[in-house]
Amino acid sequence: MENKGLNKVGLIFENIDPKEVLTKAFKMTRDEIIQQVLDSGLKGRGGAGFPTGMKWKFTAAEKDPEKYIVCNADEGEPGTFKDREILDRVAYKVYGGMAIAGHTIGAKEGYVYLRGEYKFLLPKLMKELDDFHKMIDEIGYDFRIHYRMGSGAYICGEESALFESIEGFRGEPRNKPPYPTTSGVFCKPTSINNVETLVTVMMIIRDGAESYVRLGTKDSRGSKVFSISGDTPTPGIFELELGMTVQEFVKEFGDGDTKAVQVGGASGFCVPRKKFENTIIGFEGVPTGGSMKLFNSSRSMYNVLHNYLDFFTEESCGQCTPCRVGCQQLLKGVEKVKKGEVKSTYLNELVKLADTMKIASKCGLGQSVGNAFRTIVENFREEIIY
Amino acid sequence: MYEVEDLVKNLSLKYGRSRRSLMPILQGIVEKHNYLTDEVMVEVAKALDISAAEVYGTASFYTFLDTQVRGKYVIRVCKTITCSMKGKGEIMQTIEEMLKIRPGETTPDRMFSLLETNCIGWCHKAPAMLINEMPYTELTSEKVVEILKSYMKTK
C-alpha cells in the first residue's frame, strides 16, 4: 500500500498567466493534449472519477461537427463547497480549461451549468468571462462560453440530468448508453467535466504530465481540493496530495475526539475510527469529490443517517421506482427501527433494499444511497437501534 | 395582466422562444415576482408554443421555481447535516418567532417566506441560509435578528 502522508499543495489556486498556457495548448495537436492528460492519470474531480483523457479521446473521435464542452458547476453534494471557492477565486482557469477541452475535442462552444445556490457569484463570473473572451480573441481563437443556471435540484449534477435541464426539461437522468461523449447536450457529442478537473488540466498543460504524476499514488494521481467541515477546529478548503490515510487526515483536521469521517458526502462512505489507519483517501480506498465531514463522539450517527436519507428522499427525481420508493422506505425503515416498532433485524432487510437500489437504479443517485447506508449501519448498528 | 404579458415578452425576446429558453425565462420571472402564477405559466406556454402542462411540469421539478405564493424575500435555511449539527434548529426558531410564521409559510404582508433547504455549500461556515440569492453564514440568533431587521427596513 502506497502511503503519501499529508501534504498540502497549492496548484489549483495558484495565479498563472492564462494567455501563456492557452497559447501553448493551442499550438499542441489534439492527440498531444489527450496524451498529456492520459499520462497525468487525471481522473474526474467531481466524484465519479472517470479518466479525463479517455473522456476527451472518445469525444474527439466523434465525427459530428457540432460538439460541446460543459462545465459541471452544479456542486450539490452535501459537504462540498470547493467549486464555489475555485470559481470565486480562479474562474479564468476554469474558462481556460474549457477552451483547452474545446480545442481538444473540437467544440467551439461551452456551457457552465452553475447551481442556483451560487447565483450571487454570477455578476462577477460574467465580468471575468467577458475578459476571458477578449483574451482568446486576442490570441485569435474562436471559442465562446455561456452560463446556464440551476434552480435547486441536486440531481442536475448528474450529467444527463444536467443536459436535460440545459435543454429546458425536468432534470431527469437519461438511459445510458448512449454516453455523453456520443450524445450529450442537444444530443451532440459532449465532454462534461467538473470545475476542478478543468483547472487541473490548465496546470498539467503548463507543467507537463511528468510533473503532475509526481504527486499522488498509482491509482490516484495528483492533488485534490477537499471541503472539510463538521467537528473540526479548522473547517474550510484545503488542497492536499492524494494518498493519505484517514488517520493522517484526522490527525491534522480532527478535534481529538473524531469517531467517524464521512468521505464523499451523503453519497459517499462512512469510515469509523477503527478503520482510519488502513483506509486511504483516493480511488484505491474511499473516493471523494472532496467532501470530508468529521463527526466526534457527541454526534448520533442515527441523526447523520436520517439526515442523509431525508436528503435523498427529497432529491430523488422520482423517475425510477428503486430510487423513488427505496429512499422513502429506507427513511421510514430506520425510523421504525429506532422507535422499536420492528425488530432490529429489520435493518438487514433494509441493507438488502439498499443493495437492490445500487443494482436497479437508473443513475448515480439511487445507486449510491447504499454507500452511506451500508457503511453507517454496519459500523454504528447499536446507534441506529438504541 | 398586461404586466405579465410584457414580462414574458421581454424575457422571450432576450432568451429566445425555443424550448431551451424555458429555464432562463422561468428564472427571470421568479427573480422579478418571487414565484410563478398559473397565468404567467400559461403566458410562457403561449410564447414558446408548448403546452402549459409542459411549463408546469418543468417548473414544479425545480425547488427554486416556486409555484406557490412566496414573499418578496424567500429565506431558505440549510437543514443538511453540518448546519443541522451547528444550530440550524435555533436559527429556525428565532426566525419563526420574529416573523410569526412556520416553515413553508409567508408573512401576511408578503414580505417574507420561510423555507428549509438542502445543502447550499457553506458547511465550513455553518449554520447558513439564503435570502433570495444572498448567502448568510456563521449564523447566530443575534445575527439573524439583525439581518432580518435590515430587510424589514427596505420595505
Side-chain angles (χ1 to χ4, degrees):
Chain A
M1 199 167 68
E2 206 176 348
N3 181 0
K4 304 288 281 198
L6 190 123
N7 180 20
K8 289 182 185 166
V9 187
L11 277 177
I12 297 293
F13 296 107
E14 183 187 339
N15 272 310
I16 59 168
D17 178 2
K19 205 168 175 178
E20 188 187 307
V21 180
L22 288 178
T23 309
K24 182 180 175 186
F26 295 151
K27 281 183 191 149
M28 292 166 76
T29 64
R30 283 180 175 188
D31 291 344
E32 280 168 353
I33 295 179
I34 290 171
Q35 201 53 52
Q36 282 281 314
V37 178
L38 282 174
D39 289 346
S40 75
L42 175 64
K43 291 180 181 175
R45 295 297 191 228
F50 190 80
T52 308
M54 294 300 280
K55 197 178 266 186
W56 289 8
K57 194 177 173 179
F58 295 149
T59 320
E62 291 292 326
K63 297 278 178 263
D64 201 315
E66 190 183 338
K67 298 181 191 176
Y68 293 96
I69 161 78
V70 175
C71 170
N72 187 344
D74 193 51
E75 175 178 61
E77 189 61 50
T80 317
F81 39 86
K82 48 128 190 144
D83 290 340
R84 172 177 49 71
E85 189 85 0
I86 293 172
L87 282 165
D88 193 16
R89 282 165 61 184
V90 289
Y92 70 96
K93 286 169 87 175
V94 180
Y95 304 150
M98 289 177 76
I100 294 174
H103 172 63
T104 311
I105 64 169
K108 292 284 167 216
E109 271 183 272
Y111 283 91
V112 180
Y113 187 92
L114 182 70
R115 72 183 304 210
E117 288 83 345
Y118 295 166
K119 193 176 159 205
F120 71 100
L121 281 175
L122 195 62
K124 177 171 174 274
L125 293 173
M126 291 299 278
K127 198 195 153 291
E128 287 166 354
L129 182 59
D130 283 343
D131 294 341
F132 175 79
H133 282 153
K134 277 180 206 143
M135 185 192 69
I136 55 165
D137 286 346
E138 278 170 28
I139 301 175
Y141 190 78
D142 173 26
F143 185 72
R144 279 294 177 268
I145 293 171
H146 315 280
Y147 264 92
R148 297 308 288 263
M149 295 303 298
S151 270
Y154 167 76
I155 188 59
C156 288
E158 197 280 340
E159 51 192 18
S160 62
L162 189 152
F163 300 147
E164 289 287 314
S165 184
I166 290 183
E167 292 176 22
F169 295 92
R170 294 163 67 86
E172 291 176 348
R174 299 172 182 168
N175 284 320
K176 291 180 209 175
Y179 293 98
T181 52
T182 321
S183 176
V185 71
F186 311 126
C187 297
K188 295 291 176 185
T190 303
S191 175
I192 175 162
N193 298 103
N194 172 258
V195 172
E196 186 186 345
T197 310
L198 292 162
V199 174
T200 308
V201 168
M202 282 287 269
M203 303 313 282
I204 291 169
I205 295 300
R206 191 193 69 166
D207 301 335
E210 63 282 1
S211 162
Y212 195 71
V213 294
R214 276 183 222 131
L215 293 172
T217 65
K218 186 169 81 51
D219 292 324
S220 311
R221 288 290 175 212
S223 56
K224 169 96 196 69
V225 182
F226 288 90
S227 313
I228 299 165
S229 67
D231 296 310
T232 164
T234 50
I237 290 148
F238 298 85
E239 187 180 354
L240 306 170
E241 182 174 0
L242 288 167
M244 73 201 125
T245 62
V246 179
Q247 178 96 314
E248 286 156 340
F249 176 85
V250 167
K251 200 175 156 218
E252 176 80 14
F253 296 101
D255 62 357
D257 187 26
T258 309
K259 80 167 169 188
V261 181
Q262 180 75 18
V263 182
S267 64
F269 300 84
C270 179
V271 182
R273 190 184 284 148
K274 63 175 187 271
K275 292 181 183 161
F276 284 175
E277 207 180 332
N278 293 316
T279 307
I280 284 192
I281 302 165
F283 296 104
E284 55 270 78
V286 277
T288 174
S291 174
M292 303 292 286
K293 282 176 187 273
L294 295 95
F295 300 112
N296 69 20
S297 62
S298 75
R299 306 297 176 188
S300 151
M301 294 311 285
Y302 171 80
N303 287 347
V304 173
L305 180 62
H306 191 276
N307 192 280
Y308 288 161
L309 291 173
D310 183 58
F311 173 83
F312 284 125
T313 304
E314 282 187 9
E315 297 295 344
S316 168
C317 82
Q319 186 188 188
C320 77
T321 314
C323 176
R324 181 185 64 246
V325 179
C327 289
Q328 292 169 2
Q329 291 306 317
L330 290 180
L331 180 62
K332 279 187 192 166
V334 293
E335 285 175 351
K336 277 187 200 161
V337 171
K338 190 72 175 176
K339 284 183 196 149
E341 288 170 10
V342 289
K343 279 189 198 159
S344 63
T345 49
Y346 189 63
L347 275 177
N348 305 341
E349 299 303 314
L350 294 176
V351 169
K352 278 189 208 161
L353 171 61
D355 288 345
T356 306
M357 288 169 68
K358 199 176 194 97
I359 302 164
S361 296
K362 187 167 175 176
C363 81
L365 193 155
Q367 288 163 12
S368 55
V369 174
N371 295 344
F373 191 84
R374 183 180 261 282
T375 48
I376 293 177
V377 168
E378 275 174 0
N379 293 302
F380 298 96
R381 198 179 171 91
E382 65 289 354
E383 287 192 36
I384 308 299
I385 301 169
Y386 305 107
Chain B
M1 191 67 199
Y2 288 115
E3 198 199 346
V4 169
E5 276 176 21
D6 281 349
L7 179 63
V8 173
K9 198 176 143 197
N10 289 338
L11 287 167
S12 49
L13 276 174
K14 186 174 173 190
Y15 296 110
R17 289 174 182 270
S18 64
R19 178 70 193 236
R20 67 180 76 165
S21 323
L22 180 57
M23 288 282 287
I25 290 175
L26 295 178
Q27 286 162 344
I29 297 167
V30 170
E31 188 173 306
K32 209 150 176 136
H33 291 291
N34 322 315
Y35 70 103
L36 301 163
T37 59
D38 288 353
E39 61 171 5
V40 85
M41 284 188 277
V42 169
E43 206 55 47
V44 171
K46 273 190 220 159
L48 301 189
D49 195 22
I50 53 177
S51 130
E54 286 281 335
V55 177
Y56 178 75
T58 306
S60 57
F61 185 85
Y62 295 94
T63 324
F64 287 11
L65 299 178
D66 284 306
T67 51
Q68 293 171 38
V69 177
R70 295 290 183 234
K72 187 174 171 193
Y73 302 113
V74 180
I75 306 166
R76 297 176 201 270
V77 180
C78 177
K79 63 168 177 165
T80 306
I81 189 69
T82 310
C83 286
S84 164
M85 276 164 33
K86 305 262 169 171
K88 170 230 129 192
E90 195 193 322
I91 302 303
M92 283 300 286
Q93 203 186 340
T94 306
I95 302 176
E96 285 176 39
E97 280 167 13
M98 195 168 164
L99 300 178
K100 305 198 168 48
I101 50 173
R102 299 191 36 83
E105 291 178 355
T106 300
T107 52
D109 61 358
R110 298 250 181 125
M111 277 297 282
F112 294 97
S113 296
L114 176 60
L115 301 169
E116 288 184 328
T117 193
N118 285 324
C119 191
I120 55 172
W122 290 97
C123 320
H124 57 322
K125 294 185 176 176
M129 67 176 181
L130 292 172
I131 298 184
N132 291 350
E133 59 199 60
M134 273 312 293
Y136 294 90
T137 61
E138 295 173 296
L139 298 173
T140 58
S141 286
E142 297 76 41
K143 218 169 148 180
V144 167
V145 170
E146 288 310 308
I147 293 165
L148 289 186
K149 273 187 189 162
S150 72
Y151 275 90
M152 285 168 172
K153 275 185 205 146
T154 64
K155 262 184 187 180

